């Protein structure tokens, strides 16, 4: 958006080089309210297009994203430092979600008949999901396209417009996304972008939007909830995780090791549903660990994955590594000497005490903790022994049964992070990982309000909801209830 008030600016930097990628305004409370007002006007037009009209425009947007995929990916790579192909993969996943949301919105949200029950036998009952209006989205920096698009695309498909506050580390990504949508909706701007720091996000929470969808740390999520509580603005909160990978005795160890390395080290470990803890059953621990170590040693920081996008995160990773080693953990790959500015070489530490920060806190860096357990039941117990509850992975022939015992929102069996690439599956956590869901039918409904309609088709012989009701009428009704429900 074009700022009318903001006088301050800030730069986004390439974390690989420190070069300035772009300069952006720090949007003020007045700027944010102006963006919301424009989005409200656009929402009336967007809602008026109906499901078919919105589907057509969103599918056009998908095509525009594909046409400009390399351009958008280059902005992602420049602002996050991740390899270009990883940025491309992020775009591919987001495109698939836009496609799914556009094609499934009407079936999921459109008005449908529901059973009226015995007492409503004279009623025609229907249910529909109406758009909220304007949705505020506060996005993260680690996956600056894929993660916020889980809210943006689904909110748009549901008939809302969006005011998007990207991370201050990746503002250019938000702007280029909005530009691609503007190509196919020249009549109105459906995706307003406001840039800045925490105060801009706070202004969005207080701006009168119908809902706020936030992705970020648990601490910031609590502040967003507190700010939104002032105006009873509902929130969707997706925070971090301390996701575990369980390797059972029946696991394909080669596949499990490959998954652990990708889940733990891709994007420099800056993945909320990545692998931070591995629990491997004793009988296969030596074989699995050898495979994991060999695969990890073949990776190079700065080539296979990038630096820490947020420089201060380096200190968190260093503290976790130091604490794990001080408490008796064994460094199998890397260690205290793995830190080179904001670039961190892969680190694998075994036998880390369960009270270590590397086990209890989200690391968000290229550190994999590997601990042995006597059996899968103990692995599940330890996986659940955290306030977080986002995702998990299980390698086992009995994986689906084990998944039922995990306290988390998503599980990949014999794979890692695979649930995120399936648009029909809802994505979200429990506990310190937040609440609410993006993706899938639940994600579409998250950005709507259910509206129930009961239409009387004819009058009942027993006037249940009328002062004309007599004791005899009540006896008749009670007789029907006893006959139907009392036996």
């Amino acid at each position: 958006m074009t700022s009318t008030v903001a006088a301050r600016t800030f730069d986004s930097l390439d974390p690989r080089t420190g070069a300035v990628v772009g300069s952006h305004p720090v949007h003020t409370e007045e700027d944010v309210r102006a963006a919301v007002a424009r989005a409200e006007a656009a929402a009336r037009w967007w809602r008026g297009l109906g499901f078919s009209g919105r589907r057509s425009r969103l599918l056009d947007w998908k095509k525009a994203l594909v046409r400009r995929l390399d351009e958008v990916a280059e902005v992602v790579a420049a602002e996050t430092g991740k390899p270009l192909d990883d940025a491309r993969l992020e775009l591919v996943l987001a495109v698939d979600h836009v496609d799914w949301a556009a094609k499934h919105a009407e079936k999921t949200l459109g008005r449908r008949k529901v059973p009226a029950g015995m007492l409503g036998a004279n009623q025609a009952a229907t249910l529909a999901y109406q758009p909220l209006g304007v949705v505020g989205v506060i996005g993260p920096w680690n996956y600056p396209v894929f993660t916020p698009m889980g809210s943006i695309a689904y909110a748009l498909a549901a008939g809302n417009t969006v005011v998007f506050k990207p991370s201050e580390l990746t503002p250019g990504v938000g702007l280029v996304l909005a530009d691609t949508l503007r190509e196919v909706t020249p009549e109105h701007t459906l995706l307003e972008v406001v840039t800045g720091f925490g105060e801009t996000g706070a202004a969005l929470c207080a701006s009168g939007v119908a809902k706020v969808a936030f992705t970020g740390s648990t601490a910031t999520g609590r502040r967003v909830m507190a700010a939104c509580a002032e105006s009873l603005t509902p929130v969707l909160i997706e925070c971090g995780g301390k996701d575990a990978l369980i390797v059972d005795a029946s696991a394909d160890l080669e596949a499990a090791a490959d998954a652990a390395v990708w889940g733990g080290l891709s994007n420099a470990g800056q993945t909320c549903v990545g692998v931070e803890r591995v629990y491997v059953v004793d009988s296969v621990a030596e074989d699995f660990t050898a495979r994991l170590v060999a695969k990890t040693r073949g990776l190079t920081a700065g080539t296979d994955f990038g630096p820490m996008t947020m420089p201060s995160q380096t200190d968190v990773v260093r503290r976790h590594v130091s604490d794990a080693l001080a408490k008796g953990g064994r460094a199998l790959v890397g260690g205290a000497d793995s830190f080179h500015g904001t670039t961190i070489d892969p680190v694998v530490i075994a036998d880390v005490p369960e009270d270590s920060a590397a086990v209890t806190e989200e690391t968000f860096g290229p550190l994999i903790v590997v601990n042995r357990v006597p059996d899968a039941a103990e692995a599940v117990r330890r996986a659940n022994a955290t306030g977080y509850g986002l995702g998990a992975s299980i390698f086992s022939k009995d994986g689906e049964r084990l998944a039922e015992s995990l306290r988390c929102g998503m599980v990949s069996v014999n794979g890692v992070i695979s649930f995120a690439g399936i648009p029909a599956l809802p994505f979200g956590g429990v506990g310190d990982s937040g609440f609410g869901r993006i993706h899938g039918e639940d994600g579409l409904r998250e950005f709507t309000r259910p509206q129930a309609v009961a239409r009387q088709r004819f009058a009942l012989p027993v006037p249940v909801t009328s002062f004309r009701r007599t004791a005899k009428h009540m006896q008749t009704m009670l007789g029907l209830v006893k006959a139907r429900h009392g036996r």
Side-chain angles (χ1 to χ4, degrees):
M1 72 176 261
T2 301
S3 174
T4 57
V5 177
R8 295 166 53 204
T9 62
F10 68 101
D11 294 333
S12 63
L13 306 177
D14 187 328
R16 298 166 297 190
T17 64
V20 174
V21 178
S23 185
H24 306 275
V26 177
H27 286 122
T28 65
E29 182 178 353
E30 186 176 344
D31 289 320
V32 173
R33 289 189 178 276
V36 172
R38 291 193 298 273
E40 286 172 345
R44 291 189 286 272
W45 171 80
W46 183 237
R47 179 173 181 171
L49 292 183
F51 286 111
S52 62
R54 293 194 293 270
R55 170 182 167 135
S56 176
R57 297 298 184 102
L58 289 174
L59 293 179
D60 286 343
W61 186 28
K62 174 192 71 172
K63 295 172 186 175
L65 285 168
V66 172
R67 284 195 305 270
R68 297 176 61 180
L69 191 145
D70 279 349
E71 175 194 349
V72 180
E74 285 170 0
V75 179
V76 172
E79 289 193 324
T80 65
K82 67 178 66 179
L84 184 59
D85 276 350
D86 285 2
R88 290 183 175 121
L89 176 60
E90 185 178 342
L91 264 294
V92 168
L93 292 170
V95 163
D96 202 30
H97 278 276
V98 173
D99 180 77
W100 192 93
K103 291 178 178 177
H104 288 80
E106 183 169 13
K107 179 181 179 181
T108 303
L109 307 175
R111 189 163 294 280
R112 57 186 169 86
K113 295 179 180 179
V114 298
M118 183 185 75
L119 295 179
N122 66 326
Q123 303 285 333
T126 61
L127 173 64
Y129 294 85
Q130 305 291 352
L132 299 172
V134 180
V135 172
V137 175
I138 300 175
W141 47 262
N142 59 329
Y143 292 95
V145 172
F146 175 70
T147 300
M149 283 288 272
S151 297
I152 293 168
Y154 288 76
L156 289 169
N160 307 281
T161 53
V162 175
V163 178
F164 177 36
K165 192 274 178 191
S167 166
E168 61 271 22
L169 300 178
T170 56
V173 177
L175 291 169
V176 73
L177 284 178
D179 188 55
T180 61
L181 180 56
R182 200 174 294 113
E183 278 187 28
V184 300
T185 58
E187 300 93 335
H188 292 275
T189 299
L190 306 181
L191 178 58
E192 294 276 350
V193 178
V194 293
T195 55
F197 301 93
E199 61 266 32
T200 304
L204 183 58
C205 293
S207 65
V209 293
K211 189 167 191 171
V212 170
F214 165 82
T215 305
S217 71
T218 301
T220 304
R222 290 191 175 101
R223 291 196 290 272
V224 167
M225 286 184 66
C228 289
E230 295 293 324
S231 56
L232 287 181
T233 301
V235 294
L236 184 161
I237 301 290
E238 198 267 279
C239 299
K242 192 66 185 175
D243 292 8
L245 185 151
I246 295 171
V247 184
D248 197 6
S250 63
D252 178 335
L253 299 184
E254 182 68 15
D258 188 69
V261 172
W262 171 259
L265 302 179
S266 63
N267 203 35
Q270 300 167 118
T271 303
C272 60
V273 289
V275 174
E276 296 209 357
R277 300 175 291 158
V278 176
Y279 294 112
V280 54
V281 171
D282 272 325
S283 60
V284 295
E286 187 173 343
D287 191 353
F288 167 81
T289 303
R291 294 169 190 263
L292 173 64
V293 167
K295 291 177 183 296
T296 303
R297 284 180 174 157
L299 298 177
T300 305
T303 302
D304 295 298
F305 57 85
M308 295 289 97
T309 301
M310 184 167 69
S312 61
Q313 191 63 29
T314 305
D315 295 332
V316 175
V317 183
R318 181 183 286 107
R319 177 170 61 84
H320 286 195
V321 169
S322 298
D323 184 62
L325 295 175
K327 289 182 176 178
R330 295 184 297 114
L332 304 181
V333 178
D337 59 351
S338 293
F339 296 82
H340 313 284
T342 59
T343 299
I344 306 173
D345 292 331
V347 182
V348 177
I349 305 179
D351 305 327
V352 179
E354 293 292 314
D355 63 351
S356 165
V359 174
T360 61
E361 301 175 13
E362 184 176 40
T363 302
F364 228 57
L367 165 63
I368 302 174
V369 168
V370 183
N371 283 347
R372 295 182 177 218
V373 291
D375 51 39
E378 176 63 11
V380 169
R381 188 192 70 77
R382 294 195 193 186
N384 287 339
T386 173
Y388 291 109
L390 195 55
S393 299
I394 300 172
F395 277 80
S396 171
K397 291 181 179 179
D398 199 20
E400 291 183 70
R401 183 188 64 81
L402 291 172
E404 294 177 358
S405 300
L406 287 170
R407 176 185 168 273
C408 61
M410 301 85 62
V411 182
S412 291
V413 176
N414 299 328
V416 66
I417 320 179
S418 50
F419 45 73
I422 301 174
L425 286 178
F427 183 106
V430 299
D432 287 349
S433 293
F435 54 86
R437 294 295 182 268
I438 58 174
H439 303 173
E441 293 182 351
D442 289 22
L444 285 168
R445 294 192 184 105
E446 194 76 46
F447 300 104
T448 62
R449 54 178 177 84
Q451 184 183 64
V453 175
R455 176 178 58 83
Q456 182 170 295
R457 299 183 294 128
F458 56 85
L460 284 175
V462 178
V464 178
T465 56
S466 170
F467 286 110
R468 294 185 293 106
R469 188 186 66 216
T470 65
K472 185 176 181 180
H473 290 142
M474 196 65 189
Q475 288 176 354
T476 301
M477 184 182 71
L478 289 175
L480 291 170
V481 170
K482 290 175 180 178
R484 180 175 178 84
H485 299 296
R487 293 178 180 178

